[in-house]
Amino acid sequence: MKLLEDRIIQTGRIINNEILKVDNFLNHQIDVNLINEIGKDIASIYPNANKVVTIETSGIAIAYATSLALNNCPLVFAKKQASKITSNNNYTAKVKSFTKSVTYDISIDKSYLNKGDKIVIVDDFLANGNAGVGLVELIRQSGAEILGFASAIEKGFQGGRENIERLGIKVYSCAIIKAFKDNKPVF
Ligand code: G4P
């Protein structure tokens, strides 16, 4: 998606040829117009989806735009921390975060995932793919159908795509960064 690639070039900051900071339009301040275009792009790849699933926090904006573009279909986000009033009525999975070196539980209330759902999983970044793998494992407990996974920005050199595709899930990303060279992205 050229619009997104151009924005990454203009305002993204790359740290140590490893981390892309996009706080300017995605992870802190949000450019709603650009995010809406990302949502339309993802919806065009999965036009038959009738539910969008993501994980808090930064995935929610992308999921909202995708849901809007899919005729306002329901959007469900997995929670990273069990609420004090959480019942046992949840699907759960474990996610390892490489960047933060921790493993955490994710959960979704069983009433929000059903057989007959055709789900597109979305996230802001695809890096190692652990969030995506955890969401696939969680959703599969419900019997819902997963049409595919979509990220706004994929770092194509961290194996995330392969980790999700290994589960038989289609992967799409609006912008794919093949490498960082001299702290610049190579698409
Ligand atoms: P994964 O999401 O593909 O599994 O990758 P990983 O475990 O490596 O990522 C952990 C967190 O770091 C994720 O956010 C992911 O989106 C984010 N991340 C990975 N690489 C980059 C990068 O180059 N730039 C930025 N800005 N983020 C990156 P999270 O912890 O779930 O954060 P949040 O959604 O709660 O904000």
Side-chain angles (χ1 to χ4, degrees):
M1 189 183 161
K2 181 148 187 336
L3 195 65
L4 178 56
E5 290 181 359
D6 287 348
R7 180 59 77 87
I8 292 169
I9 290 166
Q10 283 158 17
T11 60
R13 279 191 304 119
I14 295 150
I15 299 165
N16 297 333
N17 279 320
E18 188 188 354
I19 295 289
L20 172 64
K21 294 285 279 180
V22 285
D23 286 13
N24 174 284
F25 63 89
L26 183 58
N27 289 141
H28 197 11
Q29 171 170 263
I30 292 180
D31 181 333
V32 174
N33 194 39
L34 176 62
I35 301 304
N36 274 338
E37 293 306 315
I38 290 171
K40 285 182 207 165
D41 187 44
I42 294 172
S44 75
I45 304 297
Y46 299 106
N48 297 322
N50 63 14
K51 188 169 280 185
V52 180
V53 174
T54 187
I55 183 165
E56 61 182 354
T57 304
S58 302
I60 295 173
I62 307 286
Y64 181 93
T66 306
S67 161
L68 261 185
L70 288 168
N71 302 312
N72 307 315
C73 72
L75 183 185
V76 181
F77 63 90
K79 299 199 174 191
K80 286 180 180 167
Q81 275 174 349
S83 134
K84 286 188 184 130
I85 53 164
T86 299
S87 69
N88 289 330
N89 207 30
N90 288 328
Y91 297 115
T92 62
K94 291 206 176 295
V95 173
K96 256 188 262 165
S97 171
F98 276 107
T99 40
K100 291 178 185 159
S101 302
V102 289
T103 297
Y104 57 92
D105 291 314
I106 57 171
S107 66
I108 293 181
D109 188 295
K110 287 184 178 171
S111 64
Y112 298 132
L113 295 174
N114 302 291
K115 283 193 184 121
D117 287 344
K118 294 179 186 300
I119 292 175
V120 55
I121 302 171
V122 309
D123 210 348
D124 56 337
F125 268 90
L126 173 56
N128 295 291
N130 292 309
V133 168
L135 284 169
V136 169
E137 285 171 1
L138 185 155
I139 293 165
R140 282 188 165 161
Q141 296 167 36
S142 73
E145 184 183 352
I146 301 171
L147 301 188
F149 174 95
S151 73
I153 303 172
E154 175 177 344
K155 289 155 81 186
F157 48 90
Q158 285 189 227
R161 173 177 290 265
E162 292 75 13
N163 285 336
I164 296 172
E165 285 179 343
R166 201 172 290 135
L167 302 174
I169 302 292
K170 169 177 163 172
V171 174
Y172 173 75
S173 297
C174 303
I176 302 175
I177 297 170
K178 282 197 211 141
F180 293 130
K181 212 172 165 203
D182 304 326
N183 281 327
K184 293 203 169 65
V186 181
F187 294 103

